[in-house]
Amino acid sequence: MGGTGKTPVVIKLGRYFLDAGKKVSIVSRGYRGKIGYSINVISDGEKIYHHPPYAADEPYMIAKILEKASVVTGKDRRAVVEFVSTTFNPDIIILDDAYHRKDVRKDLDLLLLDYKNPISTGFVFPFGYLRESPSAIKRADIVLFTKTGGEKVIPEKVKKFLDNKPVFFSDVEMMGVFLGNEELTDKNIRFLAFSGIANNTQFFDFLRKKGLNILDKKGFSDHHNYTLKDFNNLINLLKKTDADYLVTTEKDFVKLNDEIKQITAYIKIEIKIFDEEKFFGFVNRKLYGNT
């Protein structure tokens, strides 16, 4: 249901195809965006039209990072794809979080599995955290394990579902801690961490492993829309802990107001795919054959 790193991988794919000279469109449901679930153009690849809380956090962040990609949201993914195809005529359409959507014909199904918890409890929501049963893994063209910690061994519990298909491994790479456009490199800086993502604890542990001095932490629900009360509570907690700055994810940072952004650092991350050249070789062969 969340937390496998889908959006960073979408950004990785989008950047790859943009760098290859392709015209790229990103399609997302736009979960928790106040603009609603009809077809909404967040960015046309030149201008961003909607900002949080109206635009959902993930498509807005994608639009900010992949400036030349068009980003469109909507619940009816098939209708959005048809709209994008006729409006932007892209070379590549990347669907964020759409493996389970069988109403859209896809040229490639890339499935992400959390390395440490690839099939959760094995139960489908609301009894577990899966959208489909583990047998749906067999439908994937490529499987990418995320957050592996450098490991490259297929977990035993999913081996039987992989059918000798291409399997790759990846990890999260921290690119830096930024306050505005300035990178913070002083190891003595003290932070109060907060986030509203699928696995806040994992984020807080990640910060500590990367050597950040975290005095305290505050977790919110996934895709949380921050209110003025939240901002005031965070500022009061910052003063109480005597931390120098707040620190959060880039996805959360884009939803903050200008005042709190002045005292909030954010983490820039990228997905590092091991055997990346081979990975994109498979992607290109699946999309374009032998070209």
Side-chain angles (χ1 to χ4, degrees):
M1 295 293 291
T4 56
K6 292 184 290 293
T7 299
V9 171
V10 166
I11 292 169
K12 180 87 172 180
L13 290 166
R15 183 175 285 124
Y16 171 82
F17 286 115
L18 286 170
D19 288 347
K22 303 292 185 183
K23 193 175 181 182
V24 177
S25 288
I26 311 293
V27 169
S28 167
R29 184 171 185 261
Y31 182 64
R32 295 293 297 272
K34 290 187 176 182
I35 199 170
Y37 293 126
S38 58
I39 297 174
N40 294 293
V41 177
I42 306 303
S43 170
D44 61 6
E46 295 182 0
K47 179 182 176 181
I48 294 178
Y49 293 94
H50 302 287
H51 299 70
Y54 297 99
D57 49 16
E58 288 171 346
Y60 177 74
M61 184 178 74
I62 292 169
K64 288 277 287 183
I65 295 174
L66 302 180
E67 295 178 348
K68 294 181 180 179
S70 53
V71 181
V72 183
T73 63
K75 185 176 181 180
D76 186 340
R77 222 68 64 90
R78 184 173 178 175
V80 180
V81 167
E82 290 174 356
F83 170 84
V84 164
S85 298
T86 56
T87 305
F88 298 109
N89 191 29
D91 301 306
I92 295 286
I93 299 175
I94 302 172
L95 284 80
D96 185 3
D97 192 11
Y99 184 80
H100 60 294
R101 295 298 299 259
K102 300 174 187 176
D103 57 330
V104 181
R105 186 189 67 79
K106 290 162 273 182
D107 298 292
L108 185 152
D109 265 312
L110 170 62
L111 177 63
L112 309 188
L113 296 176
D114 186 318
Y115 186 79
K116 294 181 176 62
N117 195 21
I119 54 175
S120 184
T121 58
F123 294 108
V124 176
F125 183 82
F127 304 105
Y129 293 99
L130 303 182
R131 287 202 177 98
E132 297 182 80
S133 67
S135 62
I137 294 172
K138 295 179 180 180
R139 202 170 68 245
D141 295 304
I142 302 174
V143 170
L144 177 65
F145 286 99
T146 61
K147 296 179 284 189
T148 64
E151 296 292 332
K152 297 182 182 181
V153 179
I154 296 172
E156 284 293 331
K157 62 171 69 175
V158 293
K159 274 186 177 179
K160 64 181 179 181
F161 300 114
L162 295 177
D163 293 333
N164 296 315
K165 63 176 78 269
V167 173
F168 292 88
F169 302 87
S170 67
D171 210 352
V172 177
E173 190 172 37
M174 190 170 86
M175 308 307 292
V177 185
F178 291 85
L179 185 69
N181 295 320
E182 178 188 355
E183 184 176 3
L184 301 179
T185 57
D186 186 346
K187 298 296 183 182
N188 295 316
I189 294 175
R190 300 163 300 171
F191 293 102
L192 167 65
F194 73 95
S195 61
I197 58 176
N199 194 327
N200 293 312
T201 300
Q202 200 170 66
F203 173 64
F204 300 144
D205 290 344
F206 177 78
L207 295 180
R208 290 194 172 99
K209 286 178 183 175
K210 294 300 180 181
L212 272 71
N213 184 9
I214 306 298
L215 300 186
D216 204 350
K217 58 191 185 296
K218 172 69 175 176
F220 297 87
S221 61
D222 195 14
H223 300 282
H224 182 72
N225 284 319
Y226 294 96
T227 65
L228 185 58
K229 182 179 179 181
D230 293 327
F231 296 151
N232 289 333
N233 288 339
L234 285 169
I235 291 170
N236 289 335
L237 190 55
L238 179 71
K239 293 175 180 177
K240 183 179 178 181
T241 57
D242 200 29
D244 299 303
Y245 297 107
L246 298 164
V247 64
T248 191
T249 70
E250 193 168 5
K251 186 176 88 167
D252 288 290
F253 182 80
V254 300
K255 294 186 286 186
L256 306 181
N257 66 24
D258 290 340
E259 181 181 356
I260 202 166
K261 280 181 178 178
Q262 302 301 313
I263 55 171
T264 304
Y266 62 92
I267 306 299
K268 271 189 175 292
I269 64 164
E270 285 189 9
I271 294 294
K272 179 182 179 182
I273 299 175
F274 309 126
D275 300 316
E276 184 171 307
E277 186 175 341
K278 188 176 180 182
F279 170 81
F280 281 111
F282 273 107
V283 169
N284 282 307
R285 281 195 292 276
K286 184 64 181 174
L287 294 177
Y288 304 112
N290 293 322
T291 59

